Amino acid sequence: MKRKMITFPEIGQFRQIIKIVNDDTRYSGKDENGDAIFDGSKKLPTLTFKGTVKLHGTNAGVTLTRDGDMYAQSRENVITVEKDNAGFAFFVESNKNVFTDLFKTLDIRDADYITIFGEWAGGNIQKGVAINGLPKMFVVFAVKLSYDNEEKVNYFLTDAETKHLKNPEALVFNVLDFENYSIDIDFENPLLAQNKLIELTMAVEAECPVGKSFGNIGTGEGIVWKAETPRGTIRFKVKGEKHSSSKVKVLATVNTEKVNSIKEF
């Protein structure tokens, strides 16, 4: 089998998730012109989102094919020791036995590829965060099953199926082992959750829980939130002011009394 680049989806922002949930819930098919029809009377759900610390490193992955070939990836490319990304391919090559053992604990089912995604962080990969200067480490945050047949749907394993993926002695960790969070978001009034999202993000930015667990006190980047829905996993990220950009805006605080009064009206 060829070495196929397995992509990890771009993580959107809170406002984008609000639109996705609205559209998915209220989509009712298409009219005679092929335009989407939405039923505004359908009640929007309340979803439980689990949050994990967003590490300021570089996206990385290790893929195993159905016929046993293992290779490393950056966010956009298959990488090798000769054409590496911050030393990750060399790390995978040096720890092939570790990753082989981890893959053996996962059910590849009928997939053509299974990819363990994580953040390759620490060392000099990024600057200005608590994990900077720590030994380079791979922190697992997702596992994706993929197919060559484009008619088949690629999907992610659940946290319950992946939370065991780690080998601390080899500097492979699991993001679920660090501080994590939970919030229920009522998509009939999603802005009511916004202040809590900001509060938690500011706490992470003030003191990164992952850095602290290794004895480094300093800045964190933010939180990644995800929920399981009938249509699959949805994710959004919230970053602190120090890591915001033109593409990733800092959430603004909300006047909850005003939102509630509008709802009552």
Side-chain angles (χ1 to χ4, degrees):
M1 294 176 67
K2 63 180 180 180
R3 290 191 165 187
K4 180 179 180 179
M5 175 64 202
I6 308 299
T7 59
F8 188 82
E10 187 71 27
I11 301 176
Q13 299 178 62
F14 186 39
R15 56 182 170 78
Q16 294 167 317
I17 288 297
I18 294 173
K19 184 178 187 308
I20 287 171
V21 173
N22 268 269
D23 290 351
D24 282 353
T25 302
R26 291 176 168 164
Y27 177 76
S28 300
K30 295 183 179 181
D31 61 20
E32 63 275 8
N33 298 318
D35 297 324
I37 302 171
F38 296 96
D39 182 358
S41 67
K42 288 185 178 179
K43 182 175 173 59
L44 297 173
T46 295
L47 297 176
T48 299
F49 281 80
K50 301 295 184 182
T52 52
V53 178
K54 188 178 190 310
L55 298 176
H56 196 41
T58 184
N59 183 286
V62 187
T63 296
L64 180 70
T65 67
R66 185 163 33 83
D67 57 7
D69 184 28
M70 186 191 303
Y71 55 93
Q73 301 183 174
S74 64
R75 173 171 282 283
E76 297 181 348
N77 300 291
V78 172
I79 56 177
T80 64
V81 172
E82 293 76 26
K83 194 174 182 181
D84 212 340
N85 179 45
F88 183 66
F90 179 78
F91 176 79
V92 172
E93 187 65 30
S94 302
N95 291 279
K96 262 196 167 180
N97 61 322
V98 171
F99 286 105
T100 296
D101 289 343
L102 293 180
F103 277 117
K104 285 179 180 177
T105 68
L106 297 169
D107 183 4
I108 195 170
R109 300 168 193 172
D110 64 337
D112 296 311
Y113 308 88
I114 183 166
T115 305
I116 300 174
F117 285 105
E119 197 78 0
W120 179 232
N124 60 352
I125 294 174
Q126 298 287 1
K127 296 180 179 179
V129 289
I131 56 175
N132 178 244
L134 291 171
K136 286 183 179 179
M137 64 185 77
F138 182 58
V139 184
V140 176
F141 57 65
V143 175
K144 183 179 182 181
L145 272 62
S146 308
Y147 300 88
D148 280 325
N149 185 345
E150 294 183 0
E151 293 183 0
K152 291 188 175 182
V153 178
N154 302 329
Y155 62 97
F156 286 91
L157 298 183
T158 64
D159 286 347
E161 295 172 294
T162 62
K163 63 183 180 181
H164 66 282
L165 293 176
K166 57 189 170 183
N167 186 322
E169 292 77 16
L171 297 177
V172 177
F173 300 93
N174 196 302
V175 73
L176 295 171
D177 285 338
F178 302 105
E179 188 167 351
N180 48 80
Y181 316 88
S182 180
I183 187 171
D184 291 333
I185 300 179
D186 177 2
F187 281 89
E188 288 286 337
N189 292 280
L191 294 184
L192 293 178
Q194 196 151 303
N195 289 350
K196 185 63 177 179
L197 293 172
I198 294 169
E199 175 189 330
L200 293 170
T201 302
M202 290 177 63
V204 169
E205 183 175 58
E207 184 177 87
C208 175
V210 177
K212 184 179 181 180
S213 70
F214 290 105
N216 268 20
I217 305 300
T219 302
E221 183 177 10
I223 300 175
V224 175
W225 296 93
K226 73 175 181 179
E228 304 300 332
T229 76
R231 299 195 51 156
T233 306
I234 57 174
R235 297 176 175 84
F236 70 93
K237 59 190 173 186
V238 184
K239 292 186 178 184
E241 291 184 1
K242 295 179 182 179
H243 295 93
S244 64
S245 65
S246 59
K247 292 183 179 180
V248 182
K249 302 292 186 182
V250 175
L251 283 181
T253 55
V254 172
N255 185 325
T256 54
E257 289 185 5
K258 185 175 181 180
V259 172
N260 278 321
S261 66
I262 292 173
K263 177 186 175 184
E264 289 171 7
F265 177 77

